[in-house]
């Protein structure tokens, strides 16, 4: 009976660990998504700045 209890305890431990890993993956996926959006926005902003600098009607002082 003790072996069966130990096996059940081990299974519960593994399931808890898997749940924690899954939650960690979800959080990291969210962080990566936010970072990706930030980098894309920065790149688009920089691209807009470069295009504005290259306009032929731009007045240089």
């Amino acid at each position: 009976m003790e072996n069966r209890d130990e096996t059940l305890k081990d299974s519960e431990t593994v399931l808890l660990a898997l749940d924690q890993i899954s939650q960690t993956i979800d959080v990291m996926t969210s962080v990566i998504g936010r970072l990706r959006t930030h980098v894309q926005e920065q790149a688009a902003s920089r691209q807009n700045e470069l295009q504005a600098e290259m306009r032929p009607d731009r007045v240089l002082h």
Side-chain angles (χ1 to χ4, degrees):
M1 194 63 130
E2 185 174 319
N3 191 21
R4 183 176 177 185
D5 290 341
E6 190 173 321
T7 300
L8 183 58
K9 184 179 177 184
D10 289 346
S11 294
E12 290 173 357
T13 300
V14 168
L15 289 173
L16 284 173
L18 290 173
D19 283 343
Q20 289 175 342
I21 292 167
S22 178
Q23 290 173 8
T24 300
I25 291 169
D26 289 343
V27 169
M28 293 306 296
T29 299
S30 175
V31 169
I32 290 167
R34 292 195 323 253
L35 286 171
R36 180 178 286 120
T37 299
H38 175 73
V39 169
Q40 289 171 336
E41 289 172 353
Q42 291 294 317
S45 176
R46 184 65 184 138
Q47 182 66 29
N48 290 339
E49 289 174 10
L50 291 174
Q51 287 176 349
E53 290 176 7
M54 294 174 24
R55 284 193 336 236
D57 62 335
R58 181 171 169 241
V59 177
L60 300 176
H61 297 279

